Amino acid sequence: MPADRRQLVIVGAGGHGRELLDLVEAINAAAGGDAYRFLGFLDDGQVDPEPLARRGSAVLGGLDLLAGLEADYLIGVGAAASRERIDRYASAYGRRPATLVHPRAYLGGDVKLGPGTVVCALASLTTNIETGRHVLVNIGAGVAHDCRLGDYTTVAPGARIGGAVEVGPGAWVGMQASVVRSTRIGAGAVVGAGAVVTGDVAPGLVVAGVPARPIDRAGADAPRPPLVTPRMREPEPRPQRPDL
């Protein structure tokens, strides 16, 4: 194994986790196979092994294996709360999150990606953009100039975010949604699929429609609850390593 080829695991073995494996394989193909050595998935839930077997992979065990694995990690779980908790758990053991950009994504100048950020195929981030930890910019999404995406935010497939938009931690911008220039999406807010946001969205609010308006969260298609639960108590946090 080349000295600079890092070992990698994906936490979460559902559909999104398998999509991340596509991304890892694309990066390896573009690098002549020398970027990452993928070890397998970690998942504490009940996982159908057949889709993983067809990909030549399997679940290695639960999240607690991170304590002893010398490997970087990706989080293949959609819910922001789950991503945050998994990040906290992995960081306490000194594990390093991988930051990956699909070879068919576009990144302009002065784009700063936070640790664990994933930019999928056909996504576009233009210029002077900054993301926090474990941000997901999904397939075909577009982020314009001077945007700030907070920790654990999700920009779903096909969503469009205009220039100078601030997206708060844990917010979710749904499939094919549009957010106009210079607006703010508050922490934990949910923008429904296909919505057009023309004004600021308060923290925790769920909006949908054209133009986007608040709806009852009880009836919203909000992000799923945590899917990965550690089998053991979370360790006491350690100081972050300098390369994180």
Side-chain angles (χ1 to χ4, degrees):
M1 185 176 71
D4 58 349
R5 189 183 185 204
R6 300 193 64 87
Q7 299 194 120
L8 180 72
V9 295
I10 295 175
V11 181
H16 179 44
R18 284 182 272 118
E19 288 177 336
L20 292 186
L21 178 55
D22 290 338
L23 191 153
V24 173
E25 291 175 344
I27 290 173
N28 274 342
D34 289 340
Y36 289 97
R37 178 175 176 245
F38 178 65
L39 301 180
F41 293 90
L42 304 182
D43 201 308
D44 286 342
Q46 297 295 319
V47 177
D48 182 357
E50 185 178 347
L52 300 181
R54 295 203 302 268
R55 300 300 306 275
S57 188
V59 174
L60 303 175
L63 185 58
D64 55 307
L65 287 183
L66 278 175
L69 279 176
E70 289 296 331
D72 295 349
Y73 69 99
L74 286 174
I75 300 178
V77 177
S82 294
R83 267 186 269 166
E84 181 177 5
R85 184 172 43 76
I86 293 166
D87 178 26
R88 194 168 60 242
Y89 187 86
S91 296
Y93 282 115
R95 300 284 81 86
R96 186 172 79 169
T99 302
L100 299 187
V101 178
H102 195 285
R104 294 180 64 195
Y106 171 77
L107 264 62
D110 190 32
V111 174
K112 299 176 182 177
L113 302 180
T117 290
V118 172
V119 181
C120 295
L122 306 180
S124 174
L125 286 76
T126 61
T127 188
N128 304 104
I129 293 168
E130 184 174 350
T131 76
R133 295 182 67 86
H134 296 282
V135 170
L136 172 61
V137 183
N138 218 317
I139 298 169
V143 182
H145 62 89
D146 301 299
C147 285
R148 300 291 178 266
L149 309 181
D151 296 343
Y152 317 112
T153 62
T154 296
V155 184
R160 293 288 183 267
I161 297 181
V165 170
E166 291 188 19
V167 182
W172 182 289
V173 181
M175 294 179 64
Q176 302 295 332
S178 298
V179 181
V180 303
R181 173 186 169 89
S182 300
T183 54
R184 294 183 178 183
I185 308 297
V190 176
V191 176
V196 177
V197 177
T198 58
D200 292 353
V201 178
L205 199 63
V206 179
V207 298
V210 182
R213 300 181 184 279
I215 62 174
D216 181 5
R217 177 175 278 278
D221 212 3
R224 295 178 181 178
L227 298 179
V228 179
T229 303
R231 293 192 181 114
M232 56 193 297
R233 187 174 60 185
E234 291 189 12
E236 292 297 322
R238 298 177 184 174
Q240 291 267 331
R241 282 171 29 186
D243 60 354
L244 293 178

